[in-house]
Amino acid sequence: MQEGNPQFTEIIAAAGPSIGELYARCKENAPNFSCGEEQFRLSIERSLLKFCRAADTPPTAEEVSTFIGQLQADDLLMAIACSNGCERAWWEFDQQHRPYLERVARHLAKTEIDAQDVIDTVYVELYGTRVVDGERISKFATYSGRGSIRGWLRTVVWHSLVDLHRASPDEVSLDEMTENFGEGAAQSTFLVSVEDGEKEAVDQLAEQRYRKATIESLSAAFASLEPHERLLLLYYHKENLKLREIARLLENADSPLRGWFQRRSQTRDSGGRTHESTVMRWLEKCYASVLENFLNELTTTQGLSREESAICMELATRDLGSGDLFAKLSAT
Amino acid sequence: MANQERIDPQYETIKALLGGFLAARREANPAAGHIEQDTIAAFVEGNLSEREAAPVISHMADCGFCLHVSAELIRLDTAFAETPATVTETASEPGKISEVLSGLFAKIFGTSDGAVFAHHEEEKKEEQEDSDEEKK
């Protein structure tokens, strides 16, 4: 594989023997799959190159070794063989994964017809109907073995369902589509229409100023969090994931998300299950950071006094109670 | 839980405020495009290393679409983990790729695709060879 960065070229070359061993092992498990070593090697080298480019510094030999060791190599061999049109590999794939694929489609689709449409479309996509330079482009070629083939299939089915809905006569925007699709439907909350108030002009102006300061400070406080903290809050509040669902995401002992939160809270668990209470604790830490940054923003960036900051909090509490906080905020 | 004992009203307000703010917030869809399906699947499974996960997490914190896709996949993963699949019977003989696909192509495009016919041709050729060998 040609790579401009000589360091990466070296890393990829050094991984050659490990890739060869991996291929031999996979081939032993599935001798009938049509996939040559060169094709297998090229696929892993492509992923390895991406891995090298993912950060500013090149990966260490240990990181590369872990990366190769974590690849779902048997699944990758099957995927490459399927993309080559190997009958035996397709049969294996069909036997092992079709029931799962169907289950995912039925779980996500609203109707049996949609589910069936998606199953059919995914199969056609997996085989590939597009021909580029005389070669059929199979969806299988996009599988890298970084995750399980089932995890990848779930994603393919999900996207296929989105495409199916976008292609329907009543075309909707992607945003609208994703917000109203799957289990996330009806969970998205958006700004409600603005109420026309008849308040005194002066009071209204002052309140508007405080509300504007509140929303700007809140936005800045949220933006100042680390990306993994923002993601956690978004999963919980915007996507309405339950604590146990977030905990499941963090179950893998090697999960970097889990590592970041543990480092931040300066605790290490035994490497076992992440409990819902642990996720709650991490959320609480995020709230504490947001509060601190929020109050700081009100006084420094917005130039409000402590008394005015207190008014902002009072207004927010009152607006929250009346349930129209964000309608009022949207008017600012 | 220690945090439940916290009675700071400001703290409770900020929690509610942040919840409402995030629920009402619309993330932009970055011009740089979305995370590859393969990568997002590996992320949800917790298979990405720190160097790979860092740009993915940064992207998802700003991209409503990828955030939503990943959340849907997490939800699905949990639902499937909690509800074991029913065992389905499998065919004892290998199904042919062409058999599966020719039906699908016919259904989707109204006719079978050329590539599938090519498979039929190969099969016929193989069958011919098999019968020739048997004759020998």
Side-chain angles (χ1 to χ4, degrees):
Chain A
M1 168 167 281
Q2 293 293 313
E3 162 53 38
N5 186 325
Q7 260 183 314
F8 294 167
T9 309
E10 235 173 77
I11 289 168
I12 290 168
S18 308
I19 299 172
E21 281 169 28
L22 201 59
Y23 175 76
R25 184 175 60 71
C26 293
K27 204 58 187 158
E28 205 178 306
N29 294 340
N32 298 327
F33 287 180
S34 337
C35 169
E37 183 169 351
E38 190 54 24
Q39 211 181 356
F40 184 81
R41 181 182 296 280
L42 275 174
S43 173
I44 294 184
E45 285 180 354
R46 263 197 305 274
S47 306
L48 190 50
L49 183 59
K50 215 169 120 190
F51 180 71
C52 290
R53 287 173 173 163
D56 295 335
T57 52
T60 62
E62 197 187 340
E63 281 177 313
V64 171
S65 171
T66 308
F67 173 83
I68 293 174
Q70 283 176 343
L71 288 174
Q72 311 288 316
D74 289 308
D75 281 353
L76 178 63
L77 188 86
M78 180 196 277
I80 297 173
C82 284
S83 75
N84 289 340
C86 169
E87 289 280 3
R88 183 69 211 184
W90 267 90
W91 180 75
E92 286 280 344
F93 172 79
D94 200 50
Q95 292 293 295
Q96 286 180 31
H97 304 297
R98 188 178 178 102
Y100 181 79
L101 194 150
E102 289 178 347
R103 192 177 168 213
V104 173
R106 293 205 166 92
H107 184 88
L108 290 174
K110 282 180 181 156
T111 65
E112 175 60 26
I113 294 171
D114 278 359
Q116 202 51 56
D117 268 2
V118 163
I119 294 163
D120 293 351
T121 309
V122 166
Y123 256 76
V124 170
E125 222 182 315
L126 288 173
Y127 180 74
T129 49
R130 208 158 52 90
V131 176
V132 177
D133 296 333
E135 271 191 45
R136 182 173 43 79
I137 307 297
S138 160
K139 185 81 182 172
F140 275 118
T142 65
Y143 175 66
S144 72
R146 200 65 191 95
S148 74
I149 203 161
R150 287 195 169 191
W152 175 75
L153 273 175
R154 277 200 302 251
T155 318
V156 171
V157 171
W158 196 92
H159 278 88
S160 189
L161 259 170
V162 171
D163 290 343
L164 180 80
H165 283 262
R166 289 175 80 192
S168 68
D170 303 322
E171 228 169 276
V172 289
S173 73
L174 190 62
D175 276 352
E176 208 180 330
M177 170 58 232
T178 57
E179 281 146 15
N180 293 293
F181 169 74
E183 291 184 28
Q187 288 182 340
S188 304
T189 315
F190 295 99
L191 300 177
V192 292
S193 60
V194 181
E195 251 176 41
D196 287 327
E198 293 291 330
K199 292 185 174 182
E200 290 285 327
V202 176
D203 282 355
Q204 203 173 8
L205 278 174
E207 286 193 1
Q208 270 185 10
R209 183 182 157 229
Y210 290 135
R211 286 192 174 105
K212 189 169 183 282
T214 301
I215 198 80
E216 283 178 3
S217 300
L218 190 61
S219 183
F222 176 71
S224 69
L225 295 177
E226 294 286 323
H228 64 275
E229 294 173 314
R230 279 189 281 143
L231 185 67
L232 178 68
L233 289 168
L234 285 165
Y235 274 152
Y236 190 65
H237 289 289
K238 185 162 181 69
E239 293 297 331
N240 289 309
L241 284 184
K242 296 179 180 78
L243 291 176
R244 65 185 163 83
E245 289 168 331
I246 299 173
R248 188 165 165 78
L249 175 70
L250 303 166
E251 228 160 51
N252 186 338
D254 296 326
S255 159
L257 257 180
R258 179 167 161 160
W260 283 317
F261 281 112
Q262 282 174 344
R263 274 204 291 276
R264 169 141 184 146
S265 57
Q266 295 179 324
T267 57
R268 277 273 151 196
D269 60 24
S270 54
R273 198 179 151 212
T274 302
H275 293 276
E276 290 159 47
S277 56
T278 310
V279 177
M280 196 63 227
R281 267 203 307 280
W282 290 339
L283 276 169
E284 302 279 3
K285 280 185 192 302
C286 294
Y287 297 136
S289 298
V290 171
L291 176 61
E292 193 186 329
N293 296 339
F294 172 72
L295 294 173
N296 195 34
E297 280 288 325
L298 283 177
T299 51
T300 54
T301 312
Q302 301 292 332
L304 300 183
S305 65
R306 285 185 66 172
E307 289 72 24
E308 286 177 309
S309 296
I311 294 172
C312 286
M313 289 302 268
E314 268 176 41
L315 264 178
T317 310
R318 203 176 71 199
D319 291 343
L320 278 167
S322 64
D324 61 354
L325 169 72
F326 291 98
K328 283 175 178 166
L329 286 174
S330 72
T332 60
Chain B
M1 222 175 352
N3 287 305
Q4 283 175 339
E5 290 160 19
R6 194 190 290 263
I7 47 164
D8 181 354
Q10 283 195 328
Y11 182 85
E12 293 306 320
T13 303
I14 205 76
K15 269 171 72 171
L17 201 58
L18 188 64
F21 169 73
L22 294 179
R25 185 172 176 259
R26 267 184 187 271
E27 286 79 23
N29 284 323
H34 298 299
I35 301 171
E36 287 174 16
Q37 294 176 17
D38 185 54
T39 306
I40 212 161
F43 171 77
V44 169
E45 288 185 324
N47 282 337
L48 294 186
S49 65
E50 202 166 310
R51 66 184 288 124
E52 294 167 292
V56 170
I57 290 169
S58 291
H59 176 91
M60 285 200 298
D62 293 325
C63 172
F65 180 76
C66 291
L67 174 77
H68 186 64
V69 175
S70 65
E72 284 291 316
L73 294 172
I74 293 165
R75 206 172 266 130
L76 184 66
D77 189 44
T78 313
F80 276 26
E82 288 168 357
T83 322
T86 49
V87 180
T88 51
E89 284 193 18
T90 53
S92 55
E93 287 298 315
K96 294 282 184 189
I97 173 181
S98 46
E99 285 168 10
V100 177
L101 289 167
S102 59
L104 293 181
F105 282 122
K107 201 164 135 187
I108 294 167
F109 303 114
T111 179
S112 292
D113 184 81
V116 181
F117 285 129
H119 270 281
H120 280 302
E121 282 163 19
E122 267 179 38
E123 282 162 40
K124 279 177 192 163
K125 201 177 160 189
E126 278 171 19
E127 281 166 18
Q128 185 61 45
E129 280 169 7
D130 288 345
S131 63
D132 288 346
E133 276 177 21
E134 278 170 20
K135 279 176 195 169
K136 286 173 193 171

